[in-house]
Amino acid sequence: GIQVEQSPPDLILQEGANSTLRCNFSDSVNNLQWFHQNPWGQLINLFYIPSGTKQNGRLSATTVATERYSLLYISSSQTTDSGVYFCAVERLGNTGKLIFGQGTTLQVKP
Amino acid sequence: DAGVIQSPRHEVTEMGQEVTLRCKPISGHNSLFWYRQTMMRGLELLIYFNNNVPIDDSGMPEDRFSAKMPNASFSTLKIQPSEPRDSAVYFCASSNGLTLLNTGELFFGEGSRLTVL
């Protein structure tokens, strides 16, 4: 099956700092999503981004499907950004199976 | 609009008991997914439905697990008999974009945390 690797596995930031999270995948995809799992366990949609670039406030994401990676940018981080960030992909031709990476655990300190 | 609704939020049961988890997808969504999250294995897809029909159950761990979707607004995941290794958070998600080529955007419920003693 498709492999999804996220880096770094853990990240500690001071409030106000910027960060970049990476997601590499091993095969062609037609679906890619970024999620944030907050400390209460809720999985919150950030971006549906199989290709291109999107921005939402302090967050933005870019997927380069031909090179099999996606990046999530967090600018001016806040303590509420803490939690686990997951990348999930669906391999071309494997409809219905969104496969999750192991996540990046982010801690933002005040 | 209401999101995906799951119940119960927490369940503690004893080994051997039957467990039923429930899910109401977002109205108008045509697909429903059950995931399980554990520390060891992360988020795993168990089964998904399209238009109430089970499409792929290859992720269901064993025969003790079963899932149904009797109508477009309700699904259950049942474990009988339950075992301590079934302890996990079970998430339900729905999508309105499933086609032959793409699952569309998934939206998750808040999860059901199951503890089997």
Side-chain angles (χ1 to χ4, degrees):
Chain A
I2 191 168
Q3 303 299 312
V4 185
E5 294 183 1
Q6 293 187 240
S7 60
D10 301 281
L11 186 59
I12 300 175
L13 296 176
Q14 208 65 37
E15 198 168 29
N18 303 327
S19 63
T20 300
L21 282 57
R22 187 176 181 100
C23 173
N24 291 334
F25 40 94
S26 61
D27 208 337
S28 299
V29 301
N30 59 357
N31 188 338
L32 188 146
Q33 288 187 243
W34 283 97
F35 296 90
H36 174 217
Q37 188 165 36
N38 64 23
W40 296 270
Q42 295 175 300
L43 277 164
I44 299 165
N45 292 45
L46 297 178
F47 294 102
Y48 171 73
I49 186 165
S51 64
T53 298
K54 290 186 177 180
Q55 180 156 7
N56 185 3
R58 295 181 298 102
L59 302 182
S60 63
T62 294
T63 297
V64 184
T66 53
E67 298 187 19
R68 300 184 183 172
Y69 73 88
S70 183
L71 302 173
L72 178 69
Y73 305 95
I74 305 174
S75 64
S76 304
S77 58
Q78 301 176 357
T79 56
T80 52
D81 295 331
S82 297
V84 184
Y85 289 81
F86 289 104
C87 166
V89 304
E90 178 182 74
R91 187 171 63 84
L92 198 63
N94 213 12
T95 302
K97 294 193 171 185
L98 201 65
I99 305 300
F100 281 74
Q102 289 301 306
T104 292
T105 301
L106 173 65
Q107 182 183 1
V108 181
K109 294 187 173 183
Chain B
D1 289 340
V4 177
I5 299 172
Q6 293 187 244
S7 65
R9 293 293 313 280
H10 302 273
E11 174 129 359
V12 180
T13 190
E14 292 188 346
M15 183 173 64
Q17 297 298 305
E18 178 178 292
V19 174
T20 299
L21 307 178
R22 298 172 175 81
C23 176
K24 177 179 169 57
I26 295 171
S27 178
H29 281 195
N30 64 353
S31 300
L32 183 141
F33 305 78
W34 283 100
Y35 279 82
R36 178 172 69 175
Q37 185 177 33
T38 60
M39 287 294 292
M40 290 295 294
R41 301 175 67 90
L43 276 154
E44 304 174 279
L45 176 65
L46 300 178
I47 185 171
Y48 79 93
F49 296 82
N50 182 225
N51 293 324
N52 312 338
V53 176
I55 302 300
D56 190 322
D57 66 354
S58 59
M60 296 285 262
E62 47 196 277
D63 292 345
R64 296 184 297 106
F65 286 69
S66 62
K68 294 182 179 180
M69 191 165 186
N71 57 61
S73 58
F74 184 66
S75 177
T76 59
L77 178 67
K78 188 172 293 188
I79 308 172
Q80 166 63 17
S82 58
E83 296 182 3
R85 59 191 168 124
D86 302 330
S87 298
V89 181
Y90 291 82
F91 286 99
C92 177
S94 69
S95 155
N96 65 351
L98 185 71
T99 66
L100 286 174
L101 300 177
N102 194 313
T103 298
E105 188 173 7
L106 261 63
F107 294 87
F108 282 79
E110 295 188 329
S112 294
R113 181 176 295 277
L114 173 65
T115 302
V116 183
L117 302 175

